[in-house]
């Protein structure tokens, strides 16, 4: 676990905790390092919500499927980022999302009940962890609000331009990479891939955007 110290300390869950305290804290929490190969399901939709995941290496995708087999990508997870914390924090019996490794990955599985319950040693870490967890959950609720705004747009064009505008705002520049290929972007926007490709081609022709694979540049205000 020592090789991942920099990744772990950069996770917002451990904000305010000194590096020399991490080892004893993780031991207190009963955190376990686990591995997942590319395309392996880390959490399956319907699994019991028992742990908070912290990605240590690789990348993962959070998605939700409907009864018709359609997939909606909720988020992509990268090292130092958490997954499944909102469902554990909400006391959900089952997780309504699937978490899949997009590449060979490692992650830290932290039992949720160990985060929110004081240990027998009465260490002072838990109040910090709980406060950090609440802040992270609130932040992700704001991101979810933005996702709802994106997918509530009526057309694929409006969905794409709203998404790209949010990404540009988040990065503070008009040229950026997105964490999706074309199919992934279509799944995230809730759009057909062919329709999305046609919209991207049209926006390029109109001089509104430039794009190559997952690289985008907004050439003028999109909305």
């Amino acid at each position: 676990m020592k090789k991942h110290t920099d990744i772990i300390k950069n996770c917002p869950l451990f904000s305010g905790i000194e590096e020399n305290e991490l080892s004893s804290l993780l031991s207190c929490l009963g955190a376990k390092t686990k591995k997942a190969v590319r395309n392996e399901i880390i959490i399956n939709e319907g699994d019991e919500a028992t742990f908070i995941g912290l990605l240590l290496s690789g990348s993962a995708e959070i998605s939700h499927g409907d009864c018709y087999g359609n997939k909606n990508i909720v988020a992509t997870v990268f090292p130092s980022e958490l997954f499944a914390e909102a469902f554990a924090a909400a006391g959900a019996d089952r997780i309504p999302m699937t978490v899949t490794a997009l590449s060979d990955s490692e992650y830290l599985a932290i039992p949720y009940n160990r985060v929110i319950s004081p240990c027998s040693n009465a260490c002072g870490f838990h109040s910090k962890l709980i406060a950090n967890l609440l802040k992270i959950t609130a932040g992700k609720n704001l991101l979810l609000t933005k996702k709802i705004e994106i997918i509530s747009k009526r057309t694929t064009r409006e969905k794409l331009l709203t998404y790209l505008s949010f990404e540009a705002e988040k990065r503070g520049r008009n040229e950026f990479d997105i964490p999706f290929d074309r199919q992934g972007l279509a799944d995230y926007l809730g759009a057909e891939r062919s329709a999305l490709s046609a919209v991207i081609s049209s926006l390029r022709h109109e001089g509104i955007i430039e794009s190559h694979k997952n690289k985008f540049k907004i050439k003028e205000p999109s909305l």
Side-chain angles (χ1 to χ4, degrees), residues 115-127:
V115 174
I116 63 171
S117 303
C119 65
S120 58
N121 296 326
C123 62
F125 300 126
H126 290 90
S127 59

Side-chain angles (χ1 to χ4, degrees), residues 40-150:
E40 180 179 347
I41 293 176
I42 298 172
I43 297 176
N44 210 348
E45 191 168 339
D47 283 354
E48 187 178 357
T50 59
F51 72 90
I52 295 171
L54 165 56
L55 200 67
L56 299 174
S57 66
S59 58
E61 175 186 276
I62 303 174
S63 64
H64 171 68
D66 63 24
C67 60
Y68 300 105
N70 299 312
K71 183 173 75 170
N72 177 32
I73 296 177
V74 177
T76 304
V77 185
F78 297 101
S80 289
E81 295 182 344
L82 298 175
F83 57 89
E85 79 287 350
F87 308 114
D93 293 330
R94 303 291 170 183
I95 295 181
M97 304 286 178
T98 295
V99 181
T100 307
L102 294 177
S103 60
D104 292 350
S105 305
E106 288 184 86
Y107 64 97
L108 202 62
I110 308 170
Y112 176 69
N113 62 345
R114 300 284 286 272
V115 174
I116 63 171
S117 303
C119 65
S120 58
N121 296 326
C123 62
F125 300 126
H126 290 90
S127 59
K128 290 182 182 179
L129 290 179
I130 293 170
N132 290 341
L133 182 59
L134 288 173
K135 186 175 181 179
I136 292 166
T137 303
K140 289 198 172 181
N141 282 339
L142 294 176
L143 292 177
L144 181 59
T145 300
K146 289 190 174 183
K147 173 69 185 294
I148 291 172
E149 182 177 344
I150 291 167

Side-chain angles (χ1 to χ4, degrees), residues 6 14 20 37 45 52 64 76 96 108 145 200 204 213 216:
D6 286 342
F14 301 107
N20 59 8
V37 298
E45 191 168 339
I52 295 171
H64 171 68
T76 304
L108 202 62
T145 300
I200 292 174
R204 284 202 301 249
K213 295 184 178 180
F216 283 83

Side-chain angles (χ1 to χ4, degrees), residues 18-31:
E18 298 297 328
E19 183 176 337
N20 59 8
E21 299 174 321
L22 276 178
S23 180
S24 58
L25 170 59
L26 293 173
S27 176
C28 174
L29 294 174

